[in-house]
Amino acid sequence: MKICVFCSANQQIDPDFFTTTEELGRWAAENGHTLVYGGVNQGLMETIGKAAKEAGGRTIGIVPMIVEKSGRTSDYVDIEIPCDNLSDRKQLMMDQSDVFIALPGGLGTLDEIFTVVASATIGYHQKEVVLYNMKGYWNPLIALLADLQAKGMIRGDWRQYIKTADSIEEIKTLI
C-alpha cells in the first residue's frame, strides 16, 4: 500500500511527536508499505522519511520546485516527483496514494487534509484520511467537524471520509 503522510516541517514542536512519527515510519516500512510525503528535510517530514528509509522502506517525495531550489529536499527520498506548486503537489499525492495519515501539522497539513476529503465527498476517489491524534492534537478539529455536522453544514457523516486514531494500533486496524 502507498501511505501518504501529511505533517509538520517545523522543528520546534512537542518532542513526543517525533518519537511517535518514527514509530509510524518504521511500522510502514516493516510492513512493506511505501511512504508518500512532502520530501522536506525538516520537522516530522524528515523524521518519517528517515524512519521509513532506515527500516528498509521505499519513499516517494512530492517536492515543490521552490523547496528543491532552496536545498530543503530530504536525503531520504528514493523517488522525487517535482511539482510546480502546492495544488500540483496535492494532486500528485492523491494520485500516488491509497490512504492518507495526517500527523500534527499546521496550515499546509490542514490544506492537504481538506483537499483530499473534499475530493472524496464529490466522488473523485474513495480514499480515506486518518487523523493520527497524537496526544489529542486533533481534538479541536474533531470538535469543529462534529459542530459543523450538528449544524447541517456537512452532508452525510464526516466520519465516512475522516477516521481518527489515537495509537499506531488503531491505525493498523483502520488501514
Side-chain angles (χ1 to χ4, degrees):
M1 180 182 325
K2 288 183 178 176
I3 300 173
C4 184
V5 173
F6 301 140
C7 59
S8 176
N10 293 328
Q11 289 296 127
Q12 307 306 320
I13 59 176
D14 187 328
D16 291 341
F17 294 158
F18 291 95
T19 303
T20 308
T21 297
E22 285 175 25
E23 180 183 69
L24 178 65
R26 276 193 311 274
W27 170 81
E30 289 168 356
N31 287 276
H33 303 301
T34 297
L35 171 68
V36 178
Y37 73 121
V40 173
N41 66 0
Q42 297 171 305
L44 299 181
M45 271 197 237
E46 179 75 342
T47 300
I48 193 85
K50 180 180 180 186
K53 197 71 191 120
E54 288 181 348
R58 186 172 143 208
T59 63
I60 300 172
I62 313 292
V63 184
M65 286 187 265
I66 195 167
V67 169
E68 191 176 73
K69 287 178 188 171
S70 68
R72 293 183 294 144
T73 303
S74 175
D75 291 336
Y76 301 104
V77 172
D78 290 319
I79 298 168
E80 181 180 340
I81 301 176
C83 56
D84 291 328
N85 56 54
L86 295 179
S87 294
D88 290 346
R89 183 190 214 183
K90 290 180 292 188
Q91 185 61 55
L92 288 163
M93 287 175 152
M94 280 192 284
D95 293 344
Q96 288 290 321
S97 304
D98 300 310
V99 67
F100 304 86
I101 299 175
L103 307 184
L107 296 175
T109 300
L110 288 169
D111 179 42
E112 292 162 340
I113 291 166
F114 287 112
T115 295
V116 172
V117 171
S119 295
T121 64
I122 59 174
Y124 283 108
H125 62 79
Q126 295 179 359
K127 301 173 185 181
E128 291 181 345
V129 173
V130 177
L131 301 179
Y132 193 171
N133 198 22
M134 298 176 184
K135 296 179 78 172
Y137 183 82
W138 293 116
N139 286 347
L141 179 60
I142 293 165
L144 174 62
L145 290 167
D147 186 52
L148 291 171
Q149 182 88 48
K151 290 177 178 169
M153 301 307 281
I154 298 175
R155 255 181 263 122
D157 184 352
W158 63 269
R159 290 170 196 85
Q160 291 174 249
Y161 310 101
I162 302 173
K163 307 297 183 203
T164 61
D166 294 327
S167 68
I168 190 123
E169 294 306 319
E170 288 182 26
I171 287 176
K172 291 175 190 179
T173 63
L174 290 172
I175 65 169

